[in-house]
Amino acid sequence: MKESFEPKFKSKLGLGLLGLRLSIALVFTMWALDKILIPEHAMKIFTGFYGLNSSSSLLVALGITQLVFISIFIMGLWKNVTYLIVLVLHTGSTFSSFTKYLDPFNNLLFFAAWPMLAACFALYLLRDHDIYTIKILSQLK
């Protein structure tokens, strides 16, 4: 690769990975808010997809914890751990919906989980190139 091209490529790759991180965080944020704002809905999801019974107060606490975690993820901190956790959580979510994929035309929206899973995987693999983090932003001052 030409040396003059490399900074431009790094910048474009960094922006692409930032876009992946923020869009993944948006989905996780909505899932967390669902637990906090509509715990009854989250209870149905936990029972139906994961076979777990949980109280609304437990789900609210889990949602708040998830928001804290997502904030750390959005800032791009501790990438080796946070990006892997996001990948593992979304993998579990995707595969817990397996029966929905067997009736595809009545469950088309569930297929959106697959490109998001690929995005989580790509973000994890390329985490060292995800340069637009809170560390970089704080250095711009």
Side-chain angles (χ1 to χ4, degrees):
M1 199 178 317
K2 292 181 186 176
E3 286 189 37
S4 61
F5 180 72
E6 192 168 325
K8 189 174 183 180
F9 177 76
K10 284 182 180 182
S11 177
K12 286 182 178 184
L13 179 60
L15 286 173
L17 294 172
L18 175 63
L20 285 180
R21 181 166 24 105
L22 295 178
S23 62
I24 291 166
L26 175 62
V27 174
F28 272 79
T29 298
M30 295 310 297
W31 289 343
L33 291 175
D34 183 57
K35 292 175 185 79
I36 296 166
L37 301 175
I38 315 168
E40 300 79 22
H41 180 252
M43 287 168 62
K44 289 178 186 176
I45 291 172
F46 268 64
T47 302
F49 287 96
Y50 307 112
L52 301 172
N53 292 318
S54 54
S55 68
S56 60
S57 58
L58 176 65
L59 287 172
V60 169
L62 183 60
I64 292 168
T65 303
Q66 193 173 349
L67 284 178
V68 171
F69 171 76
I70 293 164
S71 298
I72 294 167
F73 174 71
I74 287 171
M75 291 185 280
L77 300 176
W78 305 307
K79 293 182 224 178
N80 288 338
V81 175
T82 57
Y83 291 24
L84 180 60
I85 290 171
V86 164
L87 175 59
V88 168
L89 288 173
H90 191 62
T91 299
S93 173
T94 301
F95 284 97
S96 73
S97 304
F98 188 77
T99 58
K100 298 292 185 183
Y101 307 123
L102 301 177
D103 186 16
F105 298 108
N106 288 316
N107 298 293
L108 285 175
L109 286 178
F110 281 87
F111 283 84
W114 292 99
M116 182 168 152
L117 182 58
C120 293
F121 183 61
L123 184 64
Y124 179 72
L125 287 179
L126 297 169
R127 65 192 177 276
D128 293 334
H129 302 284
D130 186 7
I131 57 173
Y132 295 108
T133 65
I134 194 68
K135 294 174 198 170
I136 296 294
L137 296 175
S138 65
Q139 293 173 357
L140 294 176
K141 293 182 180 178

